[in-house]
Amino acid sequence: MASSIRTVPVTSQGGDMTTTLATDRGAHTATPVLPTADAHLTLRPLPTGDARITGGFWALRQERNGRDAVRSGYQQLETAGNFRNLRIAAGLEEGEAVGPIFMDSDVTKWLEAVAWEYGRAPAEDLLDLQREVTALYAQAQADDGYLDSVQQVRGKGERYTDLKWSHEMYCAGHLYQAAVAQHRATGDTGLLEVAIKNADHLVRTFGDGTAPDGTPKTRDVDGHPVVEMGLVELYRETGNRDYLDLAHWFVDARGHGIIERAGGEPTYFSDRVPSREATTVEGHAVRAVYLAAGAVDVAIETGDTELLTASETQFADMMATKAFITGGLGARWDWEAFGDPYELPTARGYAETCAAIGGVQWAWRLLLATGKPVYADAIERLLYNAFLAGVSLAGTEYFYVNPLQQRDHAHQDENRSPAHGRRGWFDCACCPPNIMRTFASLDGYLATATDGGLQIHQYATADLGPVRVDTDSPHDGRVRVTVTEDGPLALGLRIPAWSDTTTVTGPDGSANPTAGTLHVVDREWSAGDTVELVFDTTPHRYVADARIDAARGQVAIERGPLVYAVEQADQQGFTADDLT
């Protein structure tokens, strides 16, 4: 479909940029990470719009997320008071701010979901919601670019006085991600203009050197990372190098006592060891993996091989010693934190849904940087087992916490407890809009490209540039890939680590590639040529590592990418707790 696009100039400190506003736009599916042409990469994401899930397992969940969850999210945010906080900050209403200090971040994660969902399934009501809330952000923003509605109302002019807890730059990071998503998926520039104004404010305020007024800049970091990822993506969208440089400064500033000197416990804030020296993850799980993902973004754009190598070491140690078999991340309810190596309790494991999402974001960036299939394997495990458990099939009820075991007659205590069952919202509602944006952008995580090549990493029924994929995965191990264009193509096919034997049959015959590798079929193709993959989905029995004292002697069953659960509803005559 032809599109009628008009261009409008948008300016930011340090450079000019041309952006587009769509006037007649078709589906424009997600590319949540879009490195620059000069980025140091092995693989590149497919261009925006080239990947589209069209059926099967993930399409059903995307459809329910878009039809029900994203649209009902607007009312949930209204009921919880998030929008009212913004209206008070904008001077449209009077009153006191409600909710946690980071209430704005729930709105921007939802706005990101709205943008990607519009790209997936364009609809005028989504544009109306997006533009209404974007206008509210623009009205709430201070003249100098500062924006944090709860702090603006409660702080009465004070800013950045307790960054270890205030989440001011955490909210900014999610704002930038939403703004970039909105621009890529819809062409609208409204939120991007707000984000640029805020990012320019941060550039003037933080880092080394002096501010425009001649005073020293503030050497401080936010207690909850995510601004690093947001700044790098904003740099990619605008070309303003100041944003990348500030993200690099924030990554390198950690581990040098800034938060500890402000009274914060350094382990919890991932501030005990510098990012390029750390060998593992520690502290608050979501904060740790968001910081790690941001560090890889910086490494990709700057060529910082030391930072990338350290991140690979940290990821490998996390998956080997600090991740549940589901891929769930975060062992402790106390401080929502990673524990010590092999500290992985079954009933009291935390495994926050947001941590799984952050784990996917980190693994995806490592996959782009290195091309190693181990990161695509990790994404698959995280998506099917750590992330998916956090949402109902209807798409509108959620788990915040995802332990491996729910004890019989477990007490329904505080709001996050899974003993309540999945819930429609939470007092701390970080997970629901995070799930929404992940489903809506899932198309962008399926495949990558190189010069002359396409690599398929996640198997879903989808159109991926010059190929079409058909599969009943994860329930069936058969995949058909159909090439839809004539010409040369190096077609890369991930062979999952769980498939003991795999058969790949194509125009040139059959092969039996090794598990955990990328199998490449490089040839001249004719439209309609097919490749058939048959993965071995024989169930595997895994015995818990003896160092995991909470699960010593226990086993888990996997079939294909799925970790199976024993559910009490299926049992008769005994409780699941009695199993040995």
Side-chain angles (χ1 to χ4, degrees):
M1 176 188 296
S3 294
S4 172
I5 304 293
R6 64 181 178 88
T7 61
V8 294
V10 176
T11 60
S12 71
Q13 178 180 310
D16 294 332
M17 170 183 75
T18 298
T19 63
T20 59
L21 178 63
T23 57
D24 177 19
R25 195 180 188 91
H28 214 183
T29 47
T31 306
V33 178
L34 192 58
T36 63
D38 296 328
H40 299 256
L41 295 169
T42 300
L43 307 174
R44 286 194 170 274
L46 295 189
T48 300
D50 271 17
R52 181 171 180 80
I53 296 171
T54 57
F57 184 90
W58 289 113
L60 173 64
R61 287 153 179 82
Q62 278 194 320
E63 191 272 334
R64 290 177 177 174
N65 177 66
R67 183 193 65 196
D68 300 325
V70 172
R71 285 171 165 86
S72 67
Y74 176 90
Q75 189 55 53
Q76 293 280 17
L77 292 164
E78 182 64 73
T79 301
N82 301 67
F83 294 146
R84 185 168 184 268
N85 289 344
L86 286 161
R87 288 194 291 266
I88 295 170
L92 302 176
E93 292 187 18
E94 294 183 354
E96 295 299 321
V98 299
I101 192 69
F102 44 81
M103 289 282 273
D104 285 1
S105 66
D106 297 337
V107 180
T108 45
K109 278 182 283 188
W110 173 80
L111 275 173
E112 184 181 347
V114 170
W116 295 134
E117 181 58 25
Y118 177 83
R120 195 189 70 85
E124 287 301 314
D125 69 309
L126 291 174
L127 280 182
D128 291 342
L129 293 176
Q130 169 188 290
R131 289 167 179 167
E132 174 192 329
V133 178
T134 294
L136 188 55
Y137 264 94
Q139 290 172 291
Q141 187 168 35
D143 290 342
D144 67 352
Y146 181 85
L147 178 57
D148 186 291
S149 69
V150 179
Q151 183 64 22
Q152 285 168 270
V153 176
R154 289 181 184 162
K156 304 186 186 307
E158 291 190 351
R159 303 173 177 182
Y160 309 124
T161 57
D162 190 18
L163 261 176
K164 64 183 182 296
W165 294 117
S166 69
H167 292 71
E168 286 157 279
M169 284 193 278
Y170 169 76
C171 291
H174 281 304
L175 167 65
Y176 305 160
Q177 290 176 320
V180 169
Q182 188 180 111
H183 185 236
R184 288 181 189 158
T186 75
D188 279 6
T189 61
L191 199 61
L192 192 62
E193 292 167 353
V194 173
I196 288 169
K197 190 175 178 181
N198 182 261
D200 289 345
H201 159 73
L202 292 189
V203 167
R204 294 192 301 269
T205 306
F206 292 95
D208 292 324
T210 57
D213 64 2
T215 61
K217 289 185 179 181
T218 301
R219 294 178 53 83
D220 205 350
V221 295
D222 197 288
H224 199 312
V226 90
V227 72
E228 301 82 1
M229 275 193 283
L231 281 166
V232 175
E233 213 58 48
L234 195 60
Y235 155 71
R236 291 164 173 162
E237 200 72 3
T238 66
N240 188 339
R241 177 79 189 203
D242 290 344
Y243 306 153
L244 175 61
D245 291 343
L246 183 58
H248 206 165
W249 189 89
F250 283 142
V251 168
D252 277 341
R254 272 198 142 73
H256 297 286
I258 289 176
I259 292 179
E260 187 172 18
R261 287 191 292 273
E265 199 287 310
T267 301
Y268 171 80
F269 291 105
S270 297
D271 191 45
R272 189 177 65 87
V273 183
S275 296
R276 63 185 64 248
E277 297 175 17
T279 58
T280 189
V281 288
E282 60 184 26
H284 187 279
V286 180
R287 297 171 195 241
V289 294
Y290 277 1
L291 176 63
V296 179
D297 269 333
V298 168
I300 285 171
E301 294 297 345
T302 63
D304 191 332
T305 56
E306 182 184 43
L307 195 57
L308 177 61
T309 299
S311 192
E312 285 204 83
T313 299
Q314 295 156 22
F315 190 91
D317 185 80
M318 177 184 75
M319 295 304 291
T321 72
K322 294 187 176 183
F324 292 95
I325 192 170
T326 58
L329 304 174
R332 298 177 179 176
W333 274 72
D334 287 345
W335 301 104
E336 302 182 320
F338 285 108
D340 295 321
Y342 303 102
E343 180 189 345
L344 296 166
T346 54
R348 290 297 293 173
Y350 202 70
E352 183 179 338
T353 303
C354 283
I357 293 168
V360 168
Q361 294 173 344
W362 184 12
W364 176 248
R365 287 157 171 80
L366 286 171
L367 176 62
L368 296 178
T370 69
K372 296 176 182 178
V374 64
Y375 299 118
D377 283 337
I379 290 170
E380 182 180 60
R381 179 172 296 275
L382 285 157
L383 283 176
Y384 277 115
N385 304 290
F387 163 71
L388 199 57
V391 59
S392 66
L393 185 57
T396 53
E397 295 85 29
Y398 310 93
F399 279 142
Y400 190 117
V401 181
N402 299 277
L404 268 64
Q405 178 185 6
Q406 178 66 59
R407 295 190 183 277
D408 193 30
H409 303 302
H411 175 55
Q412 298 176 355
D413 48 14
E414 64 110 82
N415 186 253
R416 293 165 293 171
S417 172
H420 290 284
R422 293 185 179 90
R423 315 197 77 170
W425 210 248
F426 298 95
D427 296 339
C428 172
C430 55
C431 294
N434 217 357
I435 290 170
M436 294 176 199
R437 68 173 180 152
T438 302
F439 272 132
S441 63
L442 196 59
D443 313 72
Y445 292 102
L446 299 183
T448 57
T450 53
D451 290 341
L454 175 80
Q455 303 80 39
I456 302 175
H457 303 288
Q458 306 302 327
Y459 292 101
T461 297
D463 292 328
L464 302 173
V467 306
R468 184 176 70 250
V469 180
D470 294 285
T471 181
D472 194 28
S473 179
H475 303 303
D476 185 80
R478 298 177 182 274
V479 180
R480 173 180 289 180
V481 181
T482 303
V483 177
T484 58
E485 300 176 6
D486 296 337
L489 179 68
L491 178 62
L493 306 163
R494 179 179 65 93
I495 309 303
W498 48 259
S499 181
D500 292 338
T501 60
T502 299
T503 301
V504 179
T505 305
D508 300 322
S510 296
N512 300 105
T514 303
T517 63
L518 188 72
H519 178 70
V520 180
V521 184
D522 190 355
R523 69 187 308 274
E524 186 83 19
W525 300 84
S526 297
D529 285 348
T530 62
V531 176
E532 302 273 356
L533 299 94
V534 180
F535 299 127
D536 182 3
T537 58
T538 302
H540 289 83
R541 177 177 176 269
Y542 290 91
V543 179
D545 191 297
R547 288 167 289 189
I548 307 174
D549 53 341
R552 189 175 295 131
Q554 297 182 10
V555 300
I557 304 297
E558 288 187 12
R559 181 180 180 275
L562 301 176
V563 178
Y564 275 63
V566 177
E567 296 192 315
Q568 186 61 58
D570 299 329
Q571 313 308 318
Q572 295 182 1
F574 65 92
T575 67
D577 288 346
D578 294 332
L579 289 175
T580 58

